């Protein structure tokens, strides 16, 4: 481990969530002294005991191992003591949610010291850093941004599950309120980022590009869902169509799933919309794609309804086993989770739902704790998110567990290898 320059050594990371904890640890195992600040006492206490439910890993180590190593080495600690952390650190990184940025900055401003760097990494409405964060920090601290303290923005581009790798190897972009702030942010980011850190000319460019990056995924997902409805009607496999189309070197169609979840993509349009309205614009295509994607849970429920009808069963009263309710494959994150939305709609429609997801720690009434329980005695098995444990499922285990004339609705294409076996055992297999 190289020695970190002394002015980069002490880092306070605000927010110890999906981004903040792995980012804090990334600074810490590279030699910084890190204060992981959060307002949730329970989270702080658990983290300090080495407990986290995140599923990240790096170079063969799980985040749990990394956390415990860093706690033991004394380079990382979680804390709710904001003044204490700010007193010790001159590098302050924000990874709180958009709605929490302003409150967070009000507190930071009160304890800001001359020469501190404030680096916003939250995804924000373009303009937030200069139009909202800057005046708050100046007012609360009585100091001038770019003169008495440094202020910069850097977009956070990681995908959950790949956080450590992407902090290190995805190009990181930054910009500052002045050249000194940008240079100072670049230096700090380079402690973690192992590829060149790119300095853009303006903060608004970095804020906007981050939002566009997320919105383009929302739009691409809406497009591929429309393609999936088309191929369903045509009677061909969307997955094979995509595989064929993607052999074209300028085509990159995404895989359709049961919806768009998590904190970032469903919110992306809502980061553009307020600024567009302020500038007297509408973003019609983006709005339509967002609306279409928000409706996907209903579309999925209707596909299941039709599939059950084809075996003379009604959704109301049907016993449904759901595999996976994280917002995406191999994740523990169930925030804005389309599977949860789908389960709620199924229950509202009178289905009796049991669901299993070994990675998600949240308790739900519909949650069961084993594969056996979720498969047993069901009229329908619905795959909504993959988890490693689901690789154990064989055609036999499904065939021997489900009711007569059952359906399998596989939104993740998990059972593509066993679908013929299922079909030949009178199980109706549907995918999207
Ligand atoms: N999750 C992702 O994959 C991802 C990817 C790219 C960008 N982002 C962006 O990063 C930001 C953080 O996302 P996340 O998924 O880590 O959110 P998160 O909800 O997991 O974590 C945010 C944490 O901030 C804490 N917090 C709130 N107010 C605070 C305050 N005043 N002081 C200290 N802590 C406070 C919360 O208690 C929470 O633990 C968001 O802006 C998000 O859009 C997230």
């Amino acid at each position: 481990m190289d020695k970190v320059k002394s002015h980069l050594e002490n880092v306070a990371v605000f927010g110890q969530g999906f981004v903040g904890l792995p980012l804090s640890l990334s600074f810490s195992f590279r030699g910084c002294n890190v204060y992981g600040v959060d307002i949730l006492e329970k989270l702080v206490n658990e983290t300090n005991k080495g407990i986290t439910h995140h599923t990240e890993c790096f170079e063969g180590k799980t985040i749990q191992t990394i956390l415990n190593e860093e706690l033991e080495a004394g380079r990382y600690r979680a804390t709710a003591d904001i003044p204490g952390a700010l007193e010790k650190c001159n590098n302050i990184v924000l990874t709180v949610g958009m709605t929490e940025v302003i409150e967070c900055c009000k507190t930071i401003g009160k304890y800001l010291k001359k020469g501190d760097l404030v680096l916003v990494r939250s995804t924000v409405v373009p303009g937030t850093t200069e139009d909202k964060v800057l005046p708050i920090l100046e007012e609360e601290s009585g100091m001038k941004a770019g003169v008495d303290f440094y202020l910069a923005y850097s977009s956070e581009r990681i995908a959950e599950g790949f956080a450590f790798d992407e902090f290190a190897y995805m190009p990181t972009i930054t910009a500052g309120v002045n050249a000194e702030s940008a240079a100072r942010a670049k230096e700090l980011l380079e402690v973690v980022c192992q590829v060149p850190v790119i300095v853009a000319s303006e903060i608004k460019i970095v804020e906007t590009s981050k939002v566009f990056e997320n919105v383009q995924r929302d739009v691409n997902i809406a497009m591929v869902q429309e393609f999936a409805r088309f191929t369903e009607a045509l009677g061909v496999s969307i997955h094979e169509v995509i595989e064929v189309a993607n052999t074209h070197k300028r085509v990159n169609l995404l895989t359709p799933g049961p919806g768009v979840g998590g904190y970032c993509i469903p919110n992306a349009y809502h980061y553009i919309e307020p600024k567009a309205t302020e500038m007297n614009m509408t973003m019609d295509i983006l709005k339509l794609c967002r609306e279409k994607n928000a409706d996907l849970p209903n579309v999925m429920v209707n596909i299941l309804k039709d599939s059950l009808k084809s075996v003379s069963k009604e959704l109301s009263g049907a016993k449904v086993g759901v595999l996976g309710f994280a917002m995406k494959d191999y994740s523990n994150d169930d925030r804005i989770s389309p599977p949860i939305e789908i389960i709620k709609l199924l229950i509202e429609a009178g289905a009796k739902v049991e669901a299993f997801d070994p990675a998600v720690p949240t308790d739900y009434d519909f949650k069961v704790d084993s594969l056996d329980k979720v498969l047993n005695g069901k009229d329908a098995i619905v795959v909504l998110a993959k988890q490693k444990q689901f690789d154990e499922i064989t055609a036999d285990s499904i065939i021997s567990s489900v009711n007569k004339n059952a359906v399998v609705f596989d939104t993740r294409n998990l059972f593509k290898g066993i679908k013929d076996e299922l079909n030949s055992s009178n199980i109706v297999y549907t995918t999207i």
Side-chain angles (χ1 to χ4, degrees), residues 258-305:
V260 185
Y263 199 84
C264 295
I265 300 175
N267 282 328
Y269 168 75
H270 303 292
Y271 291 129
I272 287 200
E273 196 260 346
K275 198 70 195 174
T277 307
E278 194 186 305
M279 299 186 296
N280 287 324
M281 298 178 61
T282 56
M283 309 291 274
D284 298 334
I285 294 173
L286 310 189
K287 185 167 187 266
L288 183 61
C289 291
R290 179 81 303 268
E291 286 166 359
K292 288 278 184 188
N293 283 341
D295 191 46
L296 283 173
N298 282 308
V299 173
M300 298 303 130
V301 169
N302 285 333
I303 295 175
L304 179 64
K305 240 185 220 168

Side-chain angles (χ1 to χ4, degrees), residues 15 17-19 38 40 95-96 100 123 156 158 160 263-264 335:
F18 285 86
V19 170
D38 208 290
L40 298 178
T95 68
V96 299
E100 295 141 2
T123 306
E156 187 44 80
I158 57 128
E160 286 168 24
Y263 199 84
C264 295
R335 296 173 301 171

Side-chain angles (χ1 to χ4, degrees), residues 283-333:
M283 309 291 274
D284 298 334
I285 294 173
L286 310 189
K287 185 167 187 266
L288 183 61
C289 291
R290 179 81 303 268
E291 286 166 359
K292 288 278 184 188
N293 283 341
D295 191 46
L296 283 173
N298 282 308
V299 173
M300 298 303 130
V301 169
N302 285 333
I303 295 175
L304 179 64
K305 240 185 220 168
D306 289 346
S307 186
L308 281 164
K309 270 211 175 97
S310 74
V311 294
S312 307
K313 292 188 182 185
E314 292 297 323
L315 180 56
S316 176
K319 291 185 173 158
V320 179
V322 171
L323 288 164
F325 46 82
M327 63 92 175
K328 67 172 187 176
D329 293 344
Y330 308 115
S331 167
N332 62 321
D333 189 355

Side-chain angles (χ1 to χ4, degrees), residues 21-42:
L21 179 61
L23 183 62
S24 300
L25 295 173
S26 295
F27 276 113
S28 135
F29 65 66
R30 290 187 174 86
C32 295
N33 184 32
V34 180
Y35 290 78
V37 182
D38 208 290
I39 49 173
L40 298 178
E41 295 271 359
K42 183 170 178 275

